[in-house]
Structures are given as structure tokens and as C-alpha cells.
């Protein structure tokens, strides 16, 4: 970016103008896309928001840091701009479209600024307009920054929700809880699984916990390690863990990998695991058609 | 020589998400080449181990995927490349249970057992490249769309 030197008296004049005409600016902005699309219910709120932004710009101009997105003047409106842009993002607007809406805020202010001068060739006016353009460019960057931050937050939040939705702990029977695991078990996912399972064990006073991995495509040493840790932690909580749903190809792979799951109780399917837990609790389970479940 | 069914690819290894994508990609390539389910699973698991080593021990890198042919044989070759610290004692690193990072220490040795060809090239201070190759077993190799 080309460094641009602002004459202090021009910045001061622009600041004075923004502060003095903030009402008019706010009213014109209330009709601009960015404000009118966010504050759909009350125009007064749009005006109020516009006034706050105009005042913030006046502060930034007075500080002389017209090109600095870190200028303290922006701090007062950063939250507000963040809420506005996240409202725009949620209705499907891209950062580029939002940036264009911010760019649209310049023209009404420029018109008001021009009206301040009698002589259209006044050099002071051109200097002020130039500074206004610089300042609005910086505002656009500030908004873009909040948009991107909001986007990242949104993604992180949705990811968190997905993790929780994807690991529902269900109570199969009194004292028997189960988690059907689906998809990739990376470290953060495994952490969530372990926590929700341990919580469920305490809440439901479960004696048996079933980890069903039918939906887990790959069991490598990290996944195996997570399974072992979860089993050990459940044991400490007084529950016995049963891992079910290890498919034949995965069983062979685990053996070749050299991982010993011998300390873990396993059953072919979820139903076999439940039958085991019930039998252990003295509940008679009639013979099931599924063979292949080893008895221990 | 046949044109490769799946074109050569180079994928980044810089995050957990990259690993997930890589496993998916390798599984697809292996299926396209006609690998059976067990062979696919072994290959994907080996790839997962080596890619995680690239990420965790090598500080990130990339994987190069090619489909070599050897006479009538077709294969899938994966090269995991990083420019991390390298491995000082290769024999020790290939010992079951040896880890410098709180893992199970089964990744490197396990991956070697899971595939047909395993080549480890490492220079302390310069980085590590592990190349594995798996050949389609059975004859003739089933090809999608061909009978
Ligand atoms: N790409 C690599 N760069 C540097 N060191 C590695 C790399 N891959 C493996 N190692 C070393 O070899 C050891 C054994 O690897 P591995 O068997 O996968 O076990 P783990 O990853 O569980 O530690 C690692 O702890 C590490 O010290
Ligand atoms: Mg490893």
C-alpha cells in the first residue's frame, strides 16, 4: 500500500465536519443498503447505528490515523459492525458484497461535504474529499476484517455443533449407554466422544458403555489409542466398556498394524454388545441368530 | 503402458482436515485401481499413519500420489515428504512401541507391515520421505467398466 501523508489541518477539518453533520450523515446512511437491510424493523435504530459510525470516523480522523485499521476510534464501532456484517453473512452475503455496500456509504457523505464549500474548485474541498476516500477505504477494511472473523467464528461454532450432534450418547437399557461413532475420529472428535460418554455414565449411572465403531472407516494407531483411553476412563468411572462393530477388514488391519486390543472387550455388533451387558446384569436374553460373537 | 486411471496428485499435509481428505482420496484411488477391501483398508491405514507422522513429527509437508506400472502390474505409490528434523536412528524409530511423542509408537513399523514396498529416506536436519507402494493382487486386475 502506498503511504499517504495526511495534512493535520485537513484531517482536523474532516473530523469537525463528520462530527457536526453526523445527524444528516446518519439519516442518509439509514437508507443505504448496509444499514437498511440490517435494521429492517426500526429506522431509528439504523439512524442510531449510523450516528455511532460517523462519530467513530470523526475520532479516527482527529487522531490522524486515517489509514490505520487499528486506530482506537474504530474500537467503539467494531462490535456493532461485527453484528451488522454477521447479519448480512447469515442472509447469504459474501464478504465482497458486504465490502461493496460499505463502499456505497461514501457517496452521500461526499455530497454533504461538497455542499459545505461555495466554490466547487476549492482546494480545501478536494483535500477533504481525498481524505474522506482514504478514511472510507479503511472503514471498508475494518468491516471486511470483522466479516472474516465472523465467518471463522461461524465455521468453528457449526463444527462444534456438528461434533456434538455426531456423537449422541443413547441409553439402550437401564444402566447401558451406547455411542454409535460415525466418521473420522480425529483428536478433537475423540475428546468430545470421551467427554460425552463419561458424562452419560455418571448421569445415567451406567454400568455398561458400548462404543460402536461400525461407522468409523479407518482405525489407525491414534484412533486405537483414543479407544483404549476411553475404555480406561470409563473403567475408572465404574463402567465396563464394550467395543462393537469392528469390521473384518479393519480387524485384519489392526492385527497387521501390531496393535493389541486384547484388553478391550469386543463384540461383533451392537446387538451382541447389548446382549452381553444384559446377561451380565442377570437379564435373560433369548438366543440370537447372530453367530460370530465370541463369548468371554 | 496404460494411461493411469487416477491422475498423479499432490496433496498438502498441514492439518487434521488434510489427513481426512487424504484418506478419502487414497481410498478412492485404491478402489479405482481394483484393490480389494482388505488391501484398500490396509493402504488407507498405512497412509493415515505416515501422513500423521509427516504432520506431527515432520512439521507438515505433502504427499505425492502416482500410479506406476510394472509389466502388467498396476500399483499405487504414495510418497510422504517433509523437511522436518529427520530421523536420527531409523532402526529405533522402526521398533514397535518406540515413540518420542506420546503416541503408541506403532505407526512407522505398522505401516511397513501393512504394505508391499516401504522405503524410508531421511536426513537428520533436512527431512524425511517415506514411500510406500502397493500392487494390485489377483489376475487379471479388475477394471471399472471392463469385464
Ligand atoms: N516424518 C518424521 N519426521 C521425524 N521423525 C519421525 C517421522 N516419522 C516418525 N518419526 C519418529 O519415529 C517415531 C516412531 O514413529 P511412529 O511409529 O509413527 O510412532 P508415533 O508416531 O506414535 O510416535 C516417532 O515418535 C518419531 O520420533
Ligand atoms: Mg506415528
Amino acid at each position: 500500500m502506498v503511504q499517504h501523508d495526511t495534512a493535520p489541518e485537513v484531517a482536523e477539518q474532516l473530523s469537525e465536519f463528520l462530527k457536526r453533520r453526523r445527524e444528516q450523515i446518519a439519516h442518509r446512511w439509514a437508507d443505504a443498503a448496509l444499514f437498511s437491510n440490517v435494521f429492517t424493523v426500526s429506522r431509528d435504530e439504523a439512524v442510531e447505528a449510523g450516528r455511532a459510525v460517523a462519530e467513530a470516523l470523526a475520532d479516527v480522523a482527529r487522531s490522524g490515523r486515517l489509514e490505520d485499521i487499528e486506530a482506537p476510534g474504530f474500537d467503539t464501532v467494531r462490535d456493532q459492525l461485527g453484528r451488522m456484517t454477521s447479519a448480512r453473512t447469515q442472509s447469504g452475503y459474501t464478504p465482497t458484497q458486504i465490502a461493496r455496500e460499505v463502499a456505497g456509504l461514501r457517496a452521500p457523505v461526499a455530497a454533504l461535504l461538497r455542499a459545505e464549500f461555495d466554490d466547487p474548485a476549492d482546494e480545501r474541498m478536494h483535500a477533504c474529499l481525498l481524505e474522506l476516500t482514504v478514511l472510507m477505504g479503511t472503514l471498508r477494511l475494518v468491516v471486511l476484517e470483522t466479516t472474516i472473523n465472523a465467518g471463522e467464528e461461524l465455521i468453528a461454532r457449526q463444527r462444534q455443533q456438528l461434533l456434538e450432534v455426531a456423537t449422541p450418547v443413547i441409553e439402550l437399557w437401564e444402566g447401558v449407554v451406547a455411542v454409535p461413532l460415525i466418521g473420522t475420529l480425529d483428536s478433537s472428535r475423540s475428546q468430545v466422544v470421551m467427554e460425552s460418554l463419561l458424562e452419560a455414565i455418571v448421569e445415567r449411572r451406567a454400568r455398561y458403555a458400548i462404543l460402536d465403531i461400525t461407522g468409523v472407516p479407518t482405525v489407525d494407531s491414534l484412533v486405537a489409542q483414543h479407544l483404549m483411553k476411553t475404555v480406561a476412563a470409563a473403567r475408572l468411572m465404574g463402567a465396563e466398556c464394550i467395543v462393537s462393530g469392528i469390521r473384518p477388514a479393519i480387524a485384519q488391519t489392526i492385527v497387521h498394524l501390531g496393535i493389541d486390543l486384547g484388553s478391550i472387550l469386543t463384540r461383533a455388533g451392537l446387538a451382541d454388545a447389548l446382549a452381553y451387558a444384559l446377561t451380565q446384569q442377570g437379564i435373560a436374553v433369548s438366543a440370537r441368530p447372530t453367530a460370530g460373537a465370541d463369548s468371554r | 503402458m496404460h494411461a493411469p486411471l487416477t491422475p498423479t496428485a499432490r496433496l498438502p499435509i498441514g492439518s487434521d482436515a488434510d489427513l481426512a481428505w487424504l484418506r478419502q482420496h487414497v481410498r478412492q484411488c485404491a478402489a479405482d485401481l481394483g484393490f480389494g477391501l482388505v488391501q484398500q483398508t490396509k493402504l488407507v491405514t498405512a497412509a493415515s499413519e505416515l501422513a500423521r507422522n509427516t504432520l506431527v513429527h515432520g512439521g507438515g509437508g505433502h504427499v505425492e500420489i502416482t500410479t506406476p506400472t510394472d509389466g502388467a502390474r498396476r500399483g499405487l505409490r504414495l510418497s510422504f515428504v517433509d523437511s522436518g528434523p529427520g530421523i536420527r536412528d531409523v532402526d529405533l524409530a522402526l521398533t514397535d512401541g518406540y515413540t518420542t511423542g506420546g503416541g503408541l509408537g506403532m505407526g512407522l513399523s505398522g505401516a511397513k507391515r501393512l504394505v508391499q514396498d516401504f522405503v524410508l529416506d531421511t536426513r537428520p536436519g533436512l527431512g524425511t520421505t517415506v514411500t510406500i507402494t502397493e500392487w494390485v493382487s489377483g489376475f487379471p486386475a479388475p477394471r471399472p467398466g471392463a469385464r
Side-chain angles (χ1 to χ4, degrees):
Chain A
M1 200 190 267
V2 183
Q3 208 47 48
H4 163 93
D5 287 321
T6 306
E9 59 293 351
V10 178
E12 187 60 46
Q13 188 175 1
L14 179 62
S15 169
E16 184 273 330
F17 157 78
L18 288 167
K19 199 155 207 106
R20 182 163 41 79
R21 304 299 298 271
R22 62 181 182 274
E23 275 316 307
Q24 288 92 330
I25 294 173
H27 275 276
R28 297 202 179 188
W29 278 353
D31 300 322
L34 183 64
F35 287 90
S36 66
N37 288 332
V38 171
F39 301 97
T40 46
V41 182
S42 151
R43 190 170 187 278
D44 286 350
E45 276 180 34
V47 173
E48 197 179 312
R51 195 185 298 126
V53 174
E55 275 171 7
L57 290 177
D59 285 347
V60 174
R62 200 179 37 244
S63 71
R65 295 162 65 175
L66 281 73
E67 283 182 284
D68 184 0
I69 63 167
E70 305 286 339
F74 286 121
D75 291 347
T76 53
V77 287
R78 216 174 278 263
D79 272 357
Q80 182 196 314
L81 291 171
R83 278 195 302 276
M84 287 170 63
T85 56
S86 79
R88 298 303 276 143
T89 322
Q90 271 158 25
S91 39
Y93 274 68
T94 65
T96 320
Q97 288 168 312
I98 294 170
R100 206 173 294 141
E101 291 187 351
V102 179
L105 298 180
R106 196 195 74 95
V109 186
L112 284 172
L113 183 58
R114 273 197 209 91
E116 297 259 303
F117 294 85
D118 300 326
D119 177 7
D122 193 327
E123 267 180 37
R124 273 298 272 252
M125 181 186 82
H126 287 293
C128 276
L129 280 173
L130 177 64
E131 293 316 324
L132 176 67
T133 306
V134 171
L135 185 59
M136 296 306 287
T138 309
L139 176 69
R140 196 162 73 216
L141 286 179
V142 170
V143 171
L144 212 56
E145 184 196 43
T146 66
T147 312
I148 290 162
N149 289 345
E152 277 168 3
E153 251 168 54
L154 192 70
I155 290 169
R157 207 167 49 230
Q158 284 174 342
R159 192 176 144 73
Q160 190 56 38
Q161 285 167 353
L162 210 63
L163 287 179
E164 278 153 25
V165 171
T167 51
V169 181
I170 45 182
E171 188 165 24
L172 286 180
W173 202 274
E174 217 185 295
V176 185
V177 293
V179 221
L181 298 173
I182 301 152
T184 300
L185 272 187
D186 58 21
S187 294
S188 52
R189 193 65 216 288
S190 305
Q191 194 57 37
V192 174
V193 169
M194 188 185 312
E195 277 164 20
S196 11
L197 188 69
L198 295 183
E199 261 169 39
I201 288 172
V202 174
E203 246 168 51
R204 319 276 171 90
R205 299 167 181 275
R207 300 270 322 279
Y208 296 90
I210 302 170
L211 285 162
D212 186 73
I213 63 166
T214 308
V216 177
T218 309
V219 178
D220 60 11
S221 65
L222 184 74
V223 172
Q225 189 179 28
H226 284 311
L227 286 176
M228 291 192 253
K229 279 185 184 163
T230 305
V231 170
R235 231 169 241 163
L236 285 177
M237 311 294 306
E240 189 173 3
C241 247
I242 308 151
V243 175
S244 65
I246 303 180
R247 281 166 288 140
I250 288 185
Q252 288 183 55
T253 302
I254 291 175
V255 171
H256 275 91
L257 199 52
I259 290 167
D260 182 13
L261 289 183
S263 62
I264 297 182
L265 187 56
T266 57
R267 283 296 180 273
L270 190 57
D272 306 296
L274 176 62
Y276 167 83
L278 295 182
T279 311
Q280 291 296 301
Q281 288 182 301
I283 299 162
V285 179
S286 61
R288 285 157 302 107
T290 40
D294 58 317
S295 48
R296 199 175 90 164
Chain B
M1 224 167 98
H2 308 275
L5 289 169
T6 318
T8 304
R10 180 192 159 114
L11 305 178
I13 301 175
S15 66
D16 271 349
D18 287 345
L19 297 195
W21 171 241
L22 175 92
R23 282 191 291 264
Q24 200 137 330
H25 190 85
V26 170
R27 191 179 291 281
Q28 189 61 53
C29 288
D32 287 349
L33 282 164
F35 284 102
L37 183 60
V38 173
Q39 231 181 341
Q40 276 177 37
T41 307
K42 286 182 179 178
L43 197 53
V44 171
T45 307
S48 185
E49 294 293 351
L50 297 173
R52 184 165 287 112
N53 283 352
T54 301
L55 180 65
V56 174
H57 305 301
H62 70 270
V63 62
E64 206 83 54
I65 304 174
T66 50
T67 50
T69 50
D70 171 24
R73 283 205 306 175
R74 302 185 57 87
L76 188 57
R77 178 169 293 155
L78 310 172
S79 279
F80 300 86
V81 184
D82 69 62
S83 42
I87 301 172
R88 237 159 246 295
D89 189 337
V90 171
D91 288 338
L92 190 58
L94 277 165
T95 306
D96 279 353
Y98 175 79
T99 177
T100 55
L104 286 183
M106 298 302 293
L108 211 51
S109 52
K112 189 176 179 185
R113 277 188 294 269
L114 286 172
V115 296
Q116 291 160 353
D117 293 347
F118 178 99
V119 179
L120 195 159
D121 180 18
T122 182
R123 302 220 171 129
L126 290 177
T128 302
T129 298
V130 182
T131 302
I132 56 174
T133 313
E134 186 77 2
W135 301 96
V136 181
S137 59
F139 184 82
R143 278 186 283 138
R147 182 65 260 252

